[in-house]
Every structure is written in structure tokens, then in C-alpha cells.
Amino acid sequence: MNARLVALLVVLMGAVAGLQALHERGGGPPASTTVNMLYVRSPEAMTRLALSYDALLADVYWIRAVQHYGGTKLSTDPDKKYDLLYPLLDLTTSLDPRFNVAYTFGSIFLSEPPPGGPGRPDLAIALLEKGLRAQPQKWEFAQQIGFVHYWWRQDYKEAAAWFARAAAFPNAPFWIAPLAAVTLAQGGSRESSRLLWQQIEQAEELEWFRDEARRRLRQLDAMDQLDGLRQVVAAFERRVGRLPSGWEDLQRAGSLPGIPVDPTGTPYRLESGIVSLGRDSRLFPLPTEPIRVR
């Protein structure tokens, strides 16, 4: 291939990426269905177009995926949608099937419930299964699939099956094996959730993922604290015959030494007798849990 043709291909691929970005910002031609669409939706077509620039384009689409997720997450639009997230991740991992960060972080982005994410653990699992097909030796993907089933779908039987599958990999660490038994015996308890996140915090190589594990552990601590505060509110109601109007009522009654704060230092809310996490807390929103209290 001569230099002029190579240069032309680079320009064309840059134009595709530029048109993509323009269209996502709403500056491109109107679409008949939705403004948020991809000019090239087919991973197979993009792979053919990319020729030897597939790794470079994978980086471009990964950046677009992160920008789309972050921009949507920070948006104040009440109807915000993450509808480009999975297509961008699918394109990224088709162009570079060994893009491990895209599989791992992409599954976290997809699983996060609204408003912090699209709430699509099914697509997170599909993305990780795609990674496992591309790299059958990656026990991490099997373990992460198990965790999506556990944390986001509360399907403890399926989670245990995937943990057992991960443990069967010859290169899997020793701590994976007990997870299947713990999940089947205690699935749904906060203590088993805490064990899983502690293992990730101690064993994960990626600092961002370790930080995520620490955040999840703080969420579990907050859930325990909320249970305790609800008991304090219930005791006040039994004793006084009404719900407290605020934390000051509980302080005057000697039930609390001060305004309680979550593990990040953000005050908890108490409105109409309902205790909840502050919406400006870094731990918001807490996971929905059909979790049995210890």
C-alpha cells in the first residue's frame, strides 16, 4: 500500500471519528429515531474499515465511551440516557479483543444503577462473556461475571456457579475457591458482600478498581449505620409518641451525641422520620438490597 493511500485511510478514519463526535453532540444531521446514534454501529464493519489501525481506533472509541459515561453521569437532564455506552464498548472490544480495561471498567459502568449508570447488568455480563470468549484463560472475567450476578442481580446461585468456574482456571488465585461456598451459604448477607469486596481490594492490581472496592465497603458500612439510626428513631417514637422532626430532637433526648455522618463525613438525612443517605454523598446511591440484615 503506497503512502498516499495510507494517508487517505487515516484521514477517512479520522473523519468517521469526527462525525461520530459531532453527531453525539447534536451537531450532525438529524436522525429519524434518536440523536444519540453511531455512524458505524457494526463492529464487523468497523474492523474491516480499520485495517491495521484497529488498536488506535479502539483507544479512540474507549475514550468516547468514557466521555459518554462521564458526561451523562454528570448531566442534570432528568431523562438522561446511556444509550451509546454499550455500542461504544462493543466497538472498542471488537477492534481490540484484548482491551482488558474496557471489559472490566465497562462492565462496572453498565451495571451501575440510575442515575449513576444505565442499570444494565445484563449488558455487563454480555461484555464480560465476550471478553472470556476472546481470552479463554482470563479467570478474572469469570470472577467478574459472578460478581455482577451477586451484587447487581442478587442471583446467588448463578454467582456461585461463576465463582466455581473461575476457581477452576489453572492460574486462578487460592481465594477464589471459597467464594462459591460462601455465596451459596450466605448469599445476600452483608458479611458475604463485605468478604467479596475485601478480596477484590486486597488482590486487584488496578488502583481504580481497588478504590471502587473501598467505596463499596464504605457503602456497606453506611447501610449498617442506617439500620442503627432507624432503630434509634423507632425507639424515640415509642417513648415520645411521635416521630422526631430532625436530628435535634434526638440530640435533646440524649439518643445521639450529634448529627450522624456517613463514612465519607456527609451528614445523614432525617425527614418525616425517614433516615437516608445524603444525596451529595460520594456513596450515593446505595445499592438496592433484598439483603438480609445481620
Side-chain angles (χ1 to χ4, degrees):
M1 186 179 298
N2 61 41
R4 182 176 297 178
L5 182 54
V6 170
L8 177 60
L9 285 171
V10 171
V11 170
L12 286 173
M13 295 312 299
V16 168
L19 285 170
Q20 175 70 64
L22 178 64
H23 195 78
E24 289 172 30
R25 290 196 300 269
S32 58
T33 54
T34 174
V35 173
N36 282 337
M37 66 175 290
L38 299 174
Y39 274 100
V40 182
R41 281 190 172 270
S42 167
E44 294 78 11
M46 178 57 78
T47 301
R48 290 195 298 271
L49 285 170
L51 298 178
S52 60
Y53 298 97
D54 47 2
L56 176 61
L57 276 174
D59 289 339
V60 170
Y61 276 99
W62 168 240
I63 292 170
R64 296 295 302 143
V66 173
Q67 289 175 333
H68 174 64
Y69 172 75
T72 307
K73 187 182 180 78
L74 295 174
S75 170
T76 57
D77 183 356
D79 298 321
K80 60 184 176 183
K81 301 182 186 302
Y82 296 81
D83 50 348
L84 284 179
L85 184 56
Y86 182 78
L88 287 167
L89 292 168
D90 192 29
L91 281 166
T92 300
T93 53
S94 293
L95 288 162
D96 185 354
R98 303 183 70 83
F99 206 142
N100 295 334
V101 169
Y103 293 116
T104 297
F105 290 169
S107 67
I108 295 173
F109 297 162
L110 288 164
S111 297
E112 192 75 21
R120 294 297 303 270
D122 57 325
L123 293 180
I125 291 169
L127 183 67
L128 290 166
E129 287 178 337
K130 178 182 179 182
L132 198 54
R133 288 192 299 272
Q135 301 181 70
Q137 78 285 359
K138 289 286 288 184
W139 63 267
E140 292 92 338
F141 292 155
Q143 182 259 342
Q144 289 162 13
I145 292 170
F147 205 85
V148 173
H149 280 294
Y150 182 98
W151 187 253
W152 300 114
R153 305 189 88 179
Q154 290 86 45
D155 187 341
Y156 307 117
K157 183 177 179 180
E158 193 67 19
W162 277 100
F163 290 147
R165 179 171 174 178
F169 282 64
N171 57 338
F174 71 92
W175 55 266
I176 290 288
L179 293 185
V182 169
T183 299
L184 286 177
Q186 304 179 31
S189 74
R190 287 186 197 156
E191 283 310 305
S192 61
S193 295
R194 200 180 304 277
L195 173 64
L196 295 177
W197 283 117
Q198 285 171 343
Q199 294 288 7
I200 290 173
E201 180 190 19
Q202 294 165 13
E204 179 57 49
E205 295 181 359
L206 296 171
E207 181 62 29
W208 189 94
F209 209 2
R210 287 200 300 272
D211 289 342
E212 178 68 8
R214 295 183 191 111
R215 189 174 81 90
R216 297 301 181 185
L217 288 167
R218 287 179 183 152
Q219 284 186 324
L220 291 169
D221 291 339
M223 291 157 78
D224 287 344
Q225 292 172 3
L226 285 168
D227 284 343
L229 291 170
R230 287 164 186 150
Q231 292 174 8
V232 170
V233 169
F236 178 92
E237 183 182 18
R238 288 193 300 269
R239 186 169 66 254
V240 179
R242 65 173 177 84
L243 289 169
S245 59
W247 294 121
E248 293 77 10
D249 282 354
L250 295 170
Q251 289 176 259
R252 284 192 293 267
S255 301
L256 291 174
I259 296 177
V261 297
D262 69 26
T264 70
T266 303
Y268 287 111
R269 298 172 65 190
L270 175 58
E271 296 179 357
S272 303
I274 298 174
V275 185
S276 62
L277 190 71
R279 288 186 170 268
D280 54 346
S281 171
R282 294 194 302 274
L283 304 180
F284 183 86
L286 292 175
T288 313
E289 58 159 2
I291 289 183
R292 299 185 294 274
V293 179
R294 294 177 297 170

